[in-house]
Amino acid sequence: MELWRKNQLPIFHIKHCSSTPTSLLNETNEGNEFKDIVKPIAGEPIIKKNVNSAFIGTDLKERLDNEKITKLVIVGLTTDHCVSTTTRMAGIFGFDTFLVSDATATFNKIGMDG
């Protein structure tokens, strides 16, 4: 993000806002806040979503189109949910899309076999 900001490249922050009141990602809960390391600064838009894709139910595509943005660099959480879905939809929409694997993560999971 430092490089993007230094070069005045556009940054769009996507915030998952669960509609489930008890979810840690509900806007009323502390878990919904951005971590300091990725906290938006003045002028950087925050797009709120409540499904896996940042394109569904938001104006993200319109904003990208309005700014004539054709290349996307995607980072974030969680790799196998929001990041994956948003990245695939970006490709479907025709964006030249790059996923930075060193800047994505997910949570430990237990498989069906334990």
Side-chain angles (χ1 to χ4, degrees):
M1 287 179 48
E2 287 178 28
L3 178 68
W4 251 245
R5 288 172 175 155
K6 178 181 170 187
N7 289 286
Q8 299 180 327
L9 296 169
I11 296 174
F12 295 84
H13 297 271
I14 311 299
K15 188 176 203 182
H16 189 89
C17 299
S18 175
S19 56
T20 304
T22 56
S23 168
L24 293 176
L25 297 179
N26 184 281
E27 288 187 89
T28 62
N29 294 320
E30 188 177 321
N32 185 261
E33 293 302 316
F34 285 101
K35 298 289 185 189
D36 287 341
I37 193 169
V38 294
K39 194 168 285 237
I41 61 173
E44 293 176 350
I46 299 170
I47 297 171
K48 296 178 181 181
K49 67 178 188 63
N50 61 13
V51 295
N52 285 348
S53 175
F55 288 103
I56 295 175
T58 72
D59 65 349
L60 177 59
K61 184 170 184 321
E62 294 155 290
R63 288 177 184 240
L64 297 170
D65 290 345
N66 288 342
E67 294 193 31
K68 302 201 183 331
I69 294 171
T70 60
K71 290 185 180 184
L72 301 181
V73 176
I74 297 177
V75 302
L77 295 172
T78 60
T79 312
D80 52 334
H81 293 118
C82 301
V83 173
S84 171
T85 307
T86 299
T87 301
R88 286 183 284 118
M89 285 193 75
I92 290 167
F93 284 134
F95 292 100
D96 191 9
T97 308
F98 299 86
L99 176 61
V100 183
S101 62
D102 286 352
T104 62
T106 193
F107 304 98
N108 288 335
K109 296 182 178 65
I110 298 172
M112 292 180 70
D113 62 356

